[in-house]
Amino acid sequence: MNKVMSNKAVIALYVLPALVLVMAVIYGPMLITGYYGLMEWNGIGEMTFIGLENYKVLIQDAKFWESAWHSFLLAIFSTISLAGYLIVSLILAGKIKGSNLLRKIYLIPMLLSSVAIAQLWVKIYDPNNGVLNSLLTSFGMENPPAWLADTDLVLYAIFVAILWQYAGFYIIIYYAALKGIPEELIEAARIDGANPVQIAYKIKVPLISGVIKVTIVLAIVGSLKYFDLIYVMTGGGPNGASEVIASYMYKKAFDTFDFGYGSAIAFFLLIITLIVTWITRKLTASEDEVQY
């Protein structure tokens, strides 16, 4: 009995530093943010406790819900784009000629910072000298749109930039999972007369379904808290047309110095993300996982 207790004490001793680090870096700031959300504070003076007043204002804030809708659109778009990434990965894993070079090309966006990617796409979308509008003009379009200044187009223009930014990340994840499938299964399917599409749909995709579920969660959660590229490209404009929850929170906290309200937005974003993650995991869970 004493030996068991001693072993548990040793295990606890090893786990304690990691637990303290997690509490200090992750859970501690979450709790502090929730606490600040109950306050009226400009970041400098004394804090005044106002209870749930910030959250009442949040529920009635039309601009917040508009930014939340943009974040959900981004999450939907990102989730749908996973199908394209998966198709590309299936093609690359099929031993096509030049697949090694293509994998390296797809990795290029992962080597760049979000700020660099944002500046690159700002230049591409430049209405006067941008590559995109120059191409459209050469094809006969007389008045190409100002992509980042058009309230109807700006969000979709940003979606394309984000699609390019994360292509390499998801393609490599899927590619690694596909290469882990035993070659014997693929050969057996070929011998039975299965064509490449049937092999992909009935063998490869089901075998990496666990990885696909993880990427769905990553895409949704990442989209809901997305900030940097949008902030650099448009700052949430024009007229809030590309505002997302994270950028709206940043503006409230650091532009208007309403840190209490900004913290309430951040904590509400945390709650939304947890709920959406839980729903996503339930919807994508297998029968065994649901029973468990």
Side-chain angles (χ1 to χ4, degrees), residues 12-50:
L13 188 62
Y14 277 107
V15 172
L16 184 61
L19 182 61
V20 171
L21 183 63
V22 169
M23 288 297 298
V25 177
I26 299 177
Y27 297 111
M30 288 181 184
L31 295 175
I32 293 173
T33 300
Y35 172 73
Y36 286 161
L38 302 175
M39 303 291 173
E40 183 180 357
W41 185 41
N42 62 3
I44 300 174
E46 293 184 0
M47 292 186 289
T48 303
F49 180 78
I50 57 174

Side-chain angles (χ1 to χ4, degrees), residues 265-287:
I265 295 173
F267 195 74
F268 195 71
L269 173 59
L270 170 64
I271 300 300
I272 291 175
T273 303
L274 290 175
I275 293 173
V276 172
T277 302
W278 180 80
I279 293 173
T280 303
R281 289 181 62 86
K282 285 293 184 182
L283 292 176
T284 58
S286 63
E287 293 182 4

Side-chain angles (χ1 to χ4, degrees), residues 53-73:
E53 191 61 34
N54 283 326
Y55 295 96
K56 293 179 181 177
V57 174
L58 178 65
I59 292 174
Q60 300 173 359
D61 189 346
K63 290 186 177 180
F64 167 78
W65 290 111
E66 182 180 2
S67 66
W69 172 242
H70 296 159
S71 292
F72 278 109
L73 281 178

